[in-house]
Amino acid sequence: RIFRASGVILERRMSEQTVEEKASLMGRIGTAMIGKGIETLTAHGSKVADIIQKGPMSLTMMCLLGGLLTTLSGLFGVLNVLSPFDVLASAYNFFFGVLMMYLELHDKIGLNFIYKRIEHWMRILTTLTGRSLFYFYVGSLFLSKWTFMGILLGMYMCACGLFSFVVGKSAAQKLEGAQFELSDMESGEKAEFIKTKFDEFDVDQTGFLDGKELPSLLKSLGLELSKPELDSAMLILDTNGSGKIEYSEFKDWLQGRELNFV
């Protein structure tokens, strides 16, 4: 009996040691991956920025992919009956992922009543700063799981948040530059200039500017924006979330209104 008891105690200690070793190993692997990622970004920061600015994937598509991956991760987690304690967290991830995809596609799929609700209850998500922080928050939730897939997805979502903030800030500064250029005009002269400029680029005479007309107009004002910056500029200028720049929004911008970056 003494030997049997000693064996049980020894087996338990070995089991506990194995769990601790596994946790320690996962911690070392995760720390090494994060350290390597930071080292790579530091060494090739300019190349990464150039890819984001000029690459084939727009910022919208990048964040949309993040939303899709978050949704799938949450769905698989909810269906995993082997980990019942993770079901609630996975349900939150599923909801967050669906919300991300809607925010990136709301102007294309309609359902404006949902956007109005978001604008009323979660207005911060209708601004670039709020959306960037939201993506970063979701990424931090994945990182807290400290699993291989959690670390990968968490780093990707944090990157979406970081790039959204940086690119949005850059676009806002350029749009503010156009406001400054017109600040010396008299009010009557400025109003006439704004109306003429809007009508010139509203080619189909619909009373608003879409994503195809806006780049040409911005270029005529001396603003050179990259593809991700154009996505951000559209979000900044489109204050009602319609996916189009109406004349009143265009006029308010050039007359010096505070931009909704924050």
Side-chain angles (χ1 to χ4, degrees), residues 23-244:
S24 177
L25 179 62
M26 285 297 298
R28 291 197 297 270
I29 292 174
T31 302
M33 288 179 61
I34 293 175
K36 186 64 177 178
I38 294 174
E39 180 183 341
T40 302
L41 287 174
T42 303
H44 305 285
S46 59
K47 293 181 180 180
V48 173
D50 189 62
I51 290 172
I52 292 298
Q53 292 288 337
K54 300 179 181 179
M57 179 181 290
S58 70
L59 191 60
T60 298
M61 289 302 298
M62 180 180 177
C63 296
L64 181 62
L65 178 60
L68 177 61
L69 292 175
T70 302
T71 302
L72 293 176
S73 172
L75 179 61
F76 292 144
V78 169
L79 297 178
N80 184 12
V81 295
L82 298 179
S83 301
F85 296 107
D86 292 336
V87 170
L88 182 59
S90 298
Y92 281 127
N93 286 338
F94 178 81
F95 171 75
F96 289 157
V98 172
L99 181 58
M100 288 180 209
M101 291 192 291
Y102 176 78
L103 288 172
E104 298 298 337
L105 295 175
H106 75 274
D107 56 314
K108 298 177 179 62
I109 63 177
L111 303 176
N112 291 331
F113 70 94
I114 297 179
Y115 190 85
K116 294 297 182 183
R117 290 288 183 271
I118 293 175
E119 190 175 31
H120 180 73
W121 295 106
M122 298 176 285
R123 184 172 179 80
I124 190 173
L125 295 182
T126 64
T127 68
L128 274 172
T129 301
R131 198 173 296 186
S132 301
L133 292 174
F134 176 54
Y135 294 160
F136 202 87
Y137 168 72
V138 173
S140 68
L141 291 181
F142 282 115
L143 288 174
S144 68
K145 292 183 177 181
W146 212 244
T147 61
F148 180 74
M149 289 304 299
I151 291 173
L152 288 181
L153 190 51
M155 292 179 67
Y156 181 86
M157 289 309 306
C158 287
C160 287
L162 177 61
F163 289 138
S164 294
F165 183 85
V166 172
V167 173
K169 185 65 175 178
S170 174
Q173 289 176 340
K174 292 181 179 181
L175 293 176
E176 288 172 348
Q179 293 176 329
F180 179 77
E181 291 295 328
L182 300 181
S183 60
D184 293 334
M185 285 187 179
E186 298 292 336
S187 58
E189 181 185 2
K190 183 187 290 187
E192 182 179 354
F193 173 83
I194 293 173
K195 179 62 176 173
T196 302
K197 184 65 66 174
F198 186 89
D199 291 340
E200 178 185 351
F201 288 91
D202 182 17
V203 181
D204 49 9
Q205 300 297 308
T206 55
F208 54 78
L209 301 172
D210 56 28
K212 296 180 180 179
E213 297 167 328
L214 182 63
S216 300
L217 186 149
L218 294 177
K219 193 171 184 178
S220 73
L221 294 173
L223 302 179
E224 293 289 343
L225 276 72
S226 64
K227 189 189 326 181
E229 287 175 334
L230 285 171
D231 292 341
S232 299
M234 196 75 182
L235 180 61
I236 292 172
L237 298 178
D238 178 24
T239 56
N240 64 4
S242 65
K244 305 175 181 64

